[in-house]
Amino acid sequence: MNFFSLLAAAVNVYTLMCFIRIMLTWVPSLAYSKFGRIMSEICDPYLNLFRRFRFLTFGHIDFSPVLSIGLLAALSSVFESIAKTGRFSIGVIFATLTGIIWSLISSIATFLFIVILIRLIFLLIKKDSNSSFWYALDSMINPVIYKLIRVFTPRNKFIRQQTALIIALVALLLIQLLGRLIFSLIISLFLMLPI
């Protein structure tokens, strides 16, 4: 096992630790236990670097852990690639980072698609669609929905909620399809770099 294989293994262990730390935050009694505090001291300095990026927060949902874990996975991939090939390639690094960026965008788009689809279904069947839960969900997703639909509709035109949800779903599908094509092309171009 060479030096870069060891580095990749160390990054993988740290990635797992960060993932455990993120999961612990969902259970406050575990997050404040002795084990939780130890994990916090080890992982929070790294994880907190990404919490500063406001564009990773939608309402009360923070996607910064996705980026932090993704970058660790990219670093591990780079080290594994160097260990296997014995050479350092800028093309592989750029391709890996581009893949991580697409993975983050795709994850957020998929999450929003699922949430918006669920909201639309409950709105269409009118099952308890005016509860405080749906009000809180709407306040979280409406800013994103109305940014998406402004691409397809005039600025001052009133749009019903059902129509807005459908347009947002179509926009998210287009983002997924076009994004996959564009990012695959970019990654292929990076992998062809001779350096």
Side-chain angles (χ1 to χ4, degrees):
M1 190 177 232
N2 69 25
F3 176 71
F4 287 103
S5 294
L6 288 173
L7 280 177
V11 170
N12 286 335
V13 168
Y14 189 70
T15 303
L16 179 61
M17 292 172 71
C18 286
F19 183 75
I20 291 169
R21 168 62 181 144
I22 292 164
M23 293 295 109
L24 287 175
T25 62
W26 294 0
V27 184
S29 62
L30 293 175
Y32 295 110
S33 68
K34 185 175 182 179
F35 176 72
R37 287 192 305 269
I38 291 169
M39 294 299 283
S40 173
E41 288 177 22
I42 295 169
C43 301
D44 282 0
Y46 172 72
L47 295 171
N48 288 339
L49 293 173
F50 299 91
R51 288 192 179 113
R52 298 177 188 160
F53 300 122
R54 298 278 181 229
F55 68 91
L56 294 172
T57 303
F58 293 98
H60 297 291
I61 299 175
D62 180 14
F63 287 98
S64 65
V66 175
L67 180 60
S68 61
I69 296 291
L71 285 178
L72 287 173
L75 187 61
S76 175
S77 289
V78 169
F79 288 150
E80 287 172 3
S81 175
I82 293 171
K84 287 178 186 172
T85 64
R87 66 185 188 95
F88 178 79
S89 171
I90 292 176
V92 169
I93 291 171
F94 284 152
T96 303
L97 291 175
T98 303
I100 294 297
I101 291 168
W102 169 243
S103 179
L104 176 67
I105 293 168
S106 178
S107 297
I108 292 170
T110 301
F111 173 78
L112 289 171
F113 183 87
I114 292 168
V115 170
I116 292 169
L117 183 62
I118 290 169
R119 180 60 179 123
L120 179 63
I121 290 168
F122 275 85
L123 192 64
L124 290 173
I125 62 174
K126 308 228 188 284
K127 182 169 179 137
D128 196 28
S129 64
N130 291 323
S131 71
S132 60
F133 170 77
W134 293 116
Y135 178 77
L137 182 70
D138 287 341
S139 67
M140 180 188 77
I141 63 173
N142 280 346
V144 176
I145 289 171
Y146 286 100
K147 283 182 184 174
L148 285 171
I149 68 170
R150 289 299 166 222
V151 173
F152 302 102
T153 61
R155 282 226 176 256
N156 295 327
K157 184 178 180 188
F158 174 77
I159 298 169
R160 290 183 18 189
Q161 186 179 16
Q162 289 175 314
T163 306
L165 292 170
I166 292 168
I167 293 171
L169 288 172
V170 170
L172 288 167
L173 277 175
L174 287 173
I175 288 170
Q176 287 281 19
L177 294 173
L178 293 175
R180 184 172 294 136
L181 287 172
I182 292 168
F183 277 86
S184 294
L185 178 64
I186 292 170
I187 289 170
S188 297
L189 291 173
F190 280 139
L191 289 174
M192 287 191 284
L193 289 176
I195 54 171

PDB file of all heavy atoms in Angstrom, residues 127-150:
ATOM      1  N   LYS A 127     -56.237  16.984   0.574  1.00  0.00           N
ATOM      2  CA  LYS A 127     -56.219  16.287   1.859  1.00  0.00           C
ATOM      3  C   LYS A 127     -55.362  17.083   2.837  1.00  0.00           C
ATOM      4  O   LYS A 127     -54.143  17.069   2.763  1.00  0.00           O
ATOM      5  CB  LYS A 127     -55.665  14.878   1.693  1.00  0.00           C
ATOM      6  CG  LYS A 127     -55.663  14.095   2.971  1.00  0.00           C
ATOM      7  CD  LYS A 127     -55.379  12.653   2.737  1.00  0.00           C
ATOM      8  CE  LYS A 127     -55.378  11.993   4.086  1.00  0.00           C
ATOM      9  NZ  LYS A 127     -56.039  10.762   4.148  1.00  0.00           N
ATOM     10  N   ASP A 128     -56.006  17.779   3.747  1.00  0.00           N
ATOM     11  CA  ASP A 128     -55.333  18.531   4.812  1.00  0.00           C
ATOM     12  C   ASP A 128     -54.256  19.457   4.238  1.00  0.00           C
ATOM     13  O   ASP A 128     -53.182  19.598   4.793  1.00  0.00           O
ATOM     14  CB  ASP A 128     -54.724  17.562   5.821  1.00  0.00           C
ATOM     15  CG  ASP A 128     -54.367  18.250   7.116  1.00  0.00           C
ATOM     16  OD1 ASP A 128     -55.021  19.260   7.457  1.00  0.00           O
ATOM     17  OD2 ASP A 128     -53.428  17.791   7.788  1.00  0.00           O
ATOM     18  N   SER A 129     -54.560  20.072   3.092  1.00  0.00           N
ATOM     19  CA  SER A 129     -53.533  20.860   2.419  1.00  0.00           C
ATOM     20  C   SER A 129     -53.386  22.281   2.962  1.00  0.00           C
ATOM     21  O   SER A 129     -52.581  23.046   2.476  1.00  0.00           O
ATOM     22  CB  SER A 129     -53.800  20.911   0.913  1.00  0.00           C
ATOM     23  OG  SER A 129     -55.005  21.577   0.659  1.00  0.00           O
ATOM     24  N   ASN A 130     -54.154  22.635   3.980  1.00  0.00           N
ATOM     25  CA  ASN A 130     -54.035  23.976   4.561  1.00  0.00           C
ATOM     26  C   ASN A 130     -53.553  23.938   6.004  1.00  0.00           C
ATOM     27  O   ASN A 130     -53.739  24.885   6.751  1.00  0.00           O
ATOM     28  CB  ASN A 130     -55.386  24.702   4.490  1.00  0.00           C
ATOM     29  CG  ASN A 130     -55.749  25.031   3.054  1.00  0.00           C
ATOM     30  OD1 ASN A 130     -54.884  25.359   2.257  1.00  0.00           O
ATOM     31  ND2 ASN A 130     -57.022  24.919   2.729  1.00  0.00           N
ATOM     32  N   SER A 131     -52.924  22.863   6.418  1.00  0.00           N
ATOM     33  CA  SER A 131     -52.453  22.744   7.801  1.00  0.00           C
ATOM     34  C   SER A 131     -51.186  23.580   8.003  1.00  0.00           C
ATOM     35  O   SER A 131     -50.591  24.090   7.052  1.00  0.00           O
ATOM     36  CB  SER A 131     -52.173  21.282   8.141  1.00  0.00           C
ATOM     37  OG  SER A 131     -51.019  20.840   7.455  1.00  0.00           O
ATOM     38  N   SER A 132     -50.763  23.685   9.240  1.00  0.00           N
ATOM     39  CA  SER A 132     -49.558  24.460   9.543  1.00  0.00           C
ATOM     40  C   SER A 132     -48.313  23.809   8.940  1.00  0.00           C
ATOM     41  O   SER A 132     -47.358  24.495   8.579  1.00  0.00           O
ATOM     42  CB  SER A 132     -49.397  24.625  11.058  1.00  0.00           C
ATOM     43  OG  SER A 132     -49.297  23.367  11.677  1.00  0.00           O
ATOM     44  N   PHE A 133     -48.332  22.468   8.804  1.00  0.00           N
ATOM     45  CA  PHE A 133     -47.207  21.785   8.171  1.00  0.00           C
ATOM     46  C   PHE A 133     -47.042  22.254   6.734  1.00  0.00           C
ATOM     47  O   PHE A 133     -45.942  22.580   6.290  1.00  0.00           O
ATOM     48  CB  PHE A 133     -47.400  20.264   8.212  1.00  0.00           C
ATOM     49  CG  PHE A 133     -46.399  19.528   7.368  1.00  0.00           C
ATOM     50  CD1 PHE A 133     -45.109  19.347   7.825  1.00  0.00           C
ATOM     51  CD2 PHE A 133     -46.746  19.041   6.114  1.00  0.00           C
ATOM     52  CE1 PHE A 133     -44.169  18.681   7.036  1.00  0.00           C
ATOM     53  CE2 PHE A 133     -45.831  18.372   5.327  1.00  0.00           C
ATOM     54  CZ  PHE A 133     -44.528  18.191   5.788  1.00  0.00           C
ATOM     55  N   TRP A 134     -48.163  22.286   5.976  1.00  0.00           N
ATOM     56  CA  TRP A 134     -48.091  22.694   4.577  1.00  0.00           C
ATOM     57  C   TRP A 134     -47.747  24.180   4.458  1.00  0.00           C
ATOM     58  O   TRP A 134     -47.034  24.577   3.531  1.00  0.00           O
ATOM     59  CB  TRP A 134     -49.400  22.385   3.854  1.00  0.00           C
ATOM     60  CG  TRP A 134     -49.630  20.908   3.749  1.00  0.00           C
ATOM     61  CD1 TRP A 134     -50.641  20.213   4.323  1.00  0.00           C
ATOM     62  CD2 TRP A 134     -48.821  19.951   3.061  1.00  0.00           C
ATOM     63  NE1 TRP A 134     -50.520  18.879   4.028  1.00  0.00           N
ATOM     64  CE2 TRP A 134     -49.405  18.685   3.255  1.00  0.00           C
ATOM     65  CE3 TRP A 134     -47.661  20.025   2.305  1.00  0.00           C
ATOM     66  CZ2 TRP A 134     -48.876  17.520   2.720  1.00  0.00           C
ATOM     67  CZ3 TRP A 134     -47.126  18.862   1.770  1.00  0.00           C
ATOM     68  CH2 TRP A 134     -47.729  17.632   1.981  1.00  0.00           C
ATOM     69  N   TYR A 135     -48.227  24.964   5.402  1.00  0.00           N
ATOM     70  CA  TYR A 135     -47.873  26.387   5.398  1.00  0.00           C
ATOM     71  C   TYR A 135     -46.363  26.559   5.576  1.00  0.00           C
ATOM     72  O   TYR A 135     -45.729  27.343   4.872  1.00  0.00           O
ATOM     73  CB  TYR A 135     -48.638  27.120   6.503  1.00  0.00           C
ATOM     74  CG  TYR A 135     -48.292  28.586   6.587  1.00  0.00           C
ATOM     75  CD1 TYR A 135     -48.813  29.491   5.665  1.00  0.00           C
ATOM     76  CD2 TYR A 135     -47.414  29.056   7.564  1.00  0.00           C
ATOM     77  CE1 TYR A 135     -48.478  30.834   5.715  1.00  0.00           C
ATOM     78  CE2 TYR A 135     -47.074  30.398   7.618  1.00  0.00           C
ATOM     79  CZ  TYR A 135     -47.608  31.282   6.694  1.00  0.00           C
ATOM     80  OH  TYR A 135     -47.264  32.595   6.739  1.00  0.00           O
ATOM     81  N   ALA A 136     -45.776  25.809   6.503  1.00  0.00           N
ATOM     82  CA  ALA A 136     -44.326  25.876   6.735  1.00  0.00           C
ATOM     83  C   ALA A 136     -43.564  25.376   5.510  1.00  0.00           C
ATOM     84  O   ALA A 136     -42.557  25.969   5.106  1.00  0.00           O
ATOM     85  CB  ALA A 136     -43.953  25.062   7.974  1.00  0.00           C
ATOM     86  N   LEU A 137     -44.060  24.294   4.903  1.00  0.00           N
ATOM     87  CA  LEU A 137     -43.410  23.762   3.705  1.00  0.00           C
ATOM     88  C   LEU A 137     -43.493  24.761   2.557  1.00  0.00           C
ATOM     89  O   LEU A 137     -42.495  25.003   1.859  1.00  0.00           O
ATOM     90  CB  LEU A 137     -44.050  22.431   3.297  1.00  0.00           C
ATOM     91  CG  LEU A 137     -43.408  21.756   2.087  1.00  0.00           C
ATOM     92  CD1 LEU A 137     -42.025  21.233   2.449  1.00  0.00           C
ATOM     93  CD2 LEU A 137     -44.288  20.626   1.584  1.00  0.00           C
ATOM     94  N   ASP A 138     -44.671  25.359   2.375  1.00  0.00           N
ATOM     95  CA  ASP A 138     -44.831  26.359   1.315  1.00  0.00           C
ATOM     96  C   ASP A 138     -43.894  27.544   1.520  1.00  0.00           C
ATOM     97  O   ASP A 138     -43.305  28.050   0.558  1.00  0.00           O
ATOM     98  CB  ASP A 138     -46.279  26.851   1.245  1.00  0.00           C
ATOM     99  CG  ASP A 138     -47.216  25.813   0.657  1.00  0.00           C
ATOM    100  OD1 ASP A 138     -46.730  24.879  -0.007  1.00  0.00           O
ATOM    101  OD2 ASP A 138     -48.434  25.940   0.876  1.00  0.00           O
ATOM    102  N   SER A 139     -43.750  27.985   2.756  1.00  0.00           N
ATOM    103  CA  SER A 139     -42.861  29.127   3.002  1.00  0.00           C
ATOM    104  C   SER A 139     -41.406  28.764   2.704  1.00  0.00           C
ATOM    105  O   SER A 139     -40.602  29.631   2.364  1.00  0.00           O
ATOM    106  CB  SER A 139     -43.010  29.639   4.435  1.00  0.00           C
ATOM    107  OG  SER A 139     -42.536  28.686   5.354  1.00  0.00           O
ATOM    108  N   MET A 140     -41.067  27.475   2.802  1.00  0.00           N
ATOM    109  CA  MET A 140     -39.711  27.045   2.487  1.00  0.00           C
ATOM    110  C   MET A 140     -39.490  26.927   0.982  1.00  0.00           C
ATOM    111  O   MET A 140     -38.469  27.357   0.460  1.00  0.00           O
ATOM    112  CB  MET A 140     -39.422  25.700   3.141  1.00  0.00           C
ATOM    113  CG  MET A 140     -38.036  25.179   2.859  1.00  0.00           C
ATOM    114  SD  MET A 140     -37.767  23.502   3.449  1.00  0.00           S
ATOM    115  CE  MET A 140     -38.612  22.542   2.223  1.00  0.00           C
ATOM    116  N   ILE A 141     -40.461  26.344   0.261  1.00  0.00           N
ATOM    117  CA  ILE A 141     -40.233  26.057  -1.161  1.00  0.00           C
ATOM    118  C   ILE A 141     -40.704  27.145  -2.106  1.00  0.00           C
ATOM    119  O   ILE A 141     -40.232  27.216  -3.244  1.00  0.00           O
ATOM    120  CB  ILE A 141     -40.847  24.698  -1.572  1.00  0.00           C
ATOM    121  CG1 ILE A 141     -42.366  24.703  -1.411  1.00  0.00           C
ATOM    122  CG2 ILE A 141     -40.199  23.562  -0.827  1.00  0.00           C
ATOM    123  CD1 ILE A 141     -43.063  23.464  -1.944  1.00  0.00           C
ATOM    124  N   ASN A 142     -41.625  28.020  -1.676  1.00  0.00           N
ATOM    125  CA  ASN A 142     -42.147  29.038  -2.586  1.00  0.00           C
ATOM    126  C   ASN A 142     -41.080  29.977  -3.162  1.00  0.00           C
ATOM    127  O   ASN A 142     -41.144  30.290  -4.353  1.00  0.00           O
ATOM    128  CB  ASN A 142     -43.271  29.831  -1.938  1.00  0.00           C
ATOM    129  CG  ASN A 142     -44.589  29.088  -1.985  1.00  0.00           C
ATOM    130  OD1 ASN A 142     -44.733  28.108  -2.705  1.00  0.00           O
ATOM    131  ND2 ASN A 142     -45.550  29.536  -1.205  1.00  0.00           N
ATOM    132  N   PRO A 143     -40.096  30.430  -2.388  1.00  0.00           N
ATOM    133  CA  PRO A 143     -39.067  31.280  -3.017  1.00  0.00           C
ATOM    134  C   PRO A 143     -38.343  30.571  -4.164  1.00  0.00           C
ATOM    135  O   PRO A 143     -38.060  31.175  -5.199  1.00  0.00           O
ATOM    136  CB  PRO A 143     -38.112  31.591  -1.867  1.00  0.00           C
ATOM    137  CG  PRO A 143     -38.928  31.428  -0.629  1.00  0.00           C
ATOM    138  CD  PRO A 143     -39.909  30.342  -0.934  1.00  0.00           C
ATOM    139  N   VAL A 144     -38.067  29.291  -3.993  1.00  0.00           N
ATOM    140  CA  VAL A 144     -37.396  28.529  -5.049  1.00  0.00           C
ATOM    141  C   VAL A 144     -38.322  28.338  -6.233  1.00  0.00           C
ATOM    142  O   VAL A 144     -37.930  28.525  -7.391  1.00  0.00           O
ATOM    143  CB  VAL A 144     -36.933  27.158  -4.508  1.00  0.00           C
ATOM    144  CG1 VAL A 144     -36.313  26.320  -5.607  1.00  0.00           C
ATOM    145  CG2 VAL A 144     -35.968  27.335  -3.352  1.00  0.00           C
ATOM    146  N   ILE A 145     -39.572  27.996  -5.945  1.00  0.00           N
ATOM    147  CA  ILE A 145     -40.553  27.764  -7.020  1.00  0.00           C
ATOM    148  C   ILE A 145     -40.708  29.018  -7.875  1.00  0.00           C
ATOM    149  O   ILE A 145     -40.672  28.959  -9.105  1.00  0.00           O
ATOM    150  CB  ILE A 145     -41.911  27.332  -6.427  1.00  0.00           C
ATOM    151  CG1 ILE A 145     -41.812  25.917  -5.868  1.00  0.00           C
ATOM    152  CG2 ILE A 145     -43.021  27.421  -7.461  1.00  0.00           C
ATOM    153  CD1 ILE A 145     -43.017  25.479  -5.072  1.00  0.00           C
ATOM    154  N   TYR A 146     -40.862  30.165  -7.229  1.00  0.00           N
ATOM    155  CA  TYR A 146     -41.119  31.382  -8.002  1.00  0.00           C
ATOM    156  C   TYR A 146     -39.878  31.880  -8.734  1.00  0.00           C
ATOM    157  O   TYR A 146     -39.993  32.531  -9.772  1.00  0.00           O
ATOM    158  CB  TYR A 146     -41.779  32.445  -7.123  1.00  0.00           C
ATOM    159  CG  TYR A 146     -43.221  32.064  -6.879  1.00  0.00           C
ATOM    160  CD1 TYR A 146     -43.618  31.463  -5.697  1.00  0.00           C
ATOM    161  CD2 TYR A 146     -44.170  32.233  -7.876  1.00  0.00           C
ATOM    162  CE1 TYR A 146     -44.937  31.065  -5.501  1.00  0.00           C
ATOM    163  CE2 TYR A 146     -45.490  31.839  -7.695  1.00  0.00           C
ATOM    164  CZ  TYR A 146     -45.864  31.256  -6.505  1.00  0.00           C
ATOM    165  OH  TYR A 146     -47.160  30.851  -6.337  1.00  0.00           O
ATOM    166  N   LYS A 147     -38.699  31.526  -8.262  1.00  0.00           N
ATOM    167  CA  LYS A 147     -37.492  31.825  -9.054  1.00  0.00           C
ATOM    168  C   LYS A 147     -37.448  30.943 -10.297  1.00  0.00           C
ATOM    169  O   LYS A 147     -37.063  31.400 -11.376  1.00  0.00           O
ATOM    170  CB  LYS A 147     -36.240  31.622  -8.205  1.00  0.00           C
ATOM    171  CG  LYS A 147     -35.990  32.746  -7.247  1.00  0.00           C
ATOM    172  CD  LYS A 147     -34.730  32.542  -6.456  1.00  0.00           C
ATOM    173  CE  LYS A 147     -34.604  33.661  -5.434  1.00  0.00           C
ATOM    174  NZ  LYS A 147     -33.472  33.473  -4.531  1.00  0.00           N
ATOM    175  N   LEU A 148     -37.835  29.679 -10.140  1.00  0.00           N
ATOM    176  CA  LEU A 148     -37.839  28.773 -11.290  1.00  0.00           C
ATOM    177  C   LEU A 148     -38.878  29.170 -12.335  1.00  0.00           C
ATOM    178  O   LEU A 148     -38.592  29.163 -13.525  1.00  0.00           O
ATOM    179  CB  LEU A 148     -38.117  27.338 -10.819  1.00  0.00           C
ATOM    180  CG  LEU A 148     -36.997  26.593 -10.118  1.00  0.00           C
ATOM    181  CD1 LEU A 148     -37.508  25.283  -9.535  1.00  0.00           C
ATOM    182  CD2 LEU A 148     -35.845  26.339 -11.061  1.00  0.00           C
ATOM    183  N   ILE A 149     -40.074  29.522 -11.889  1.00  0.00           N
ATOM    184  CA  ILE A 149     -41.131  29.780 -12.870  1.00  0.00           C
ATOM    185  C   ILE A 149     -40.973  31.129 -13.559  1.00  0.00           C
ATOM    186  O   ILE A 149     -41.532  31.332 -14.632  1.00  0.00           O
ATOM    187  CB  ILE A 149     -42.540  29.648 -12.252  1.00  0.00           C
ATOM    188  CG1 ILE A 149     -42.822  30.747 -11.244  1.00  0.00           C
ATOM    189  CG2 ILE A 149     -42.735  28.278 -11.652  1.00  0.00           C
ATOM    190  CD1 ILE A 149     -44.268  30.804 -10.800  1.00  0.00           C
ATOM    191  N   ARG A 150     -40.223  32.042 -12.983  1.00  0.00           N
ATOM    192  CA  ARG A 150     -40.020  33.343 -13.629  1.00  0.00           C
ATOM    193  C   ARG A 150     -39.260  33.213 -14.945  1.00  0.00           C
ATOM    194  O   ARG A 150     -39.330  34.098 -15.792  1.00  0.00           O
ATOM    195  CB  ARG A 150     -39.285  34.319 -12.704  1.00  0.00           C
ATOM    196  CG  ARG A 150     -40.131  34.800 -11.555  1.00  0.00           C
ATOM    197  CD  ARG A 150     -41.352  35.548 -12.063  1.00  0.00           C
ATOM    198  NE  ARG A 150     -42.312  35.713 -10.982  1.00  0.00           N
ATOM    199  CZ  ARG A 150     -43.611  35.548 -11.111  1.00  0.00           C
ATOM    200  NH1 ARG A 150     -44.133  35.221 -12.258  1.00  0.00           N
ATOM    201  NH2 ARG A 150     -44.412  35.714 -10.091  1.00  0.00           N
TER     202      ARG A 150
END
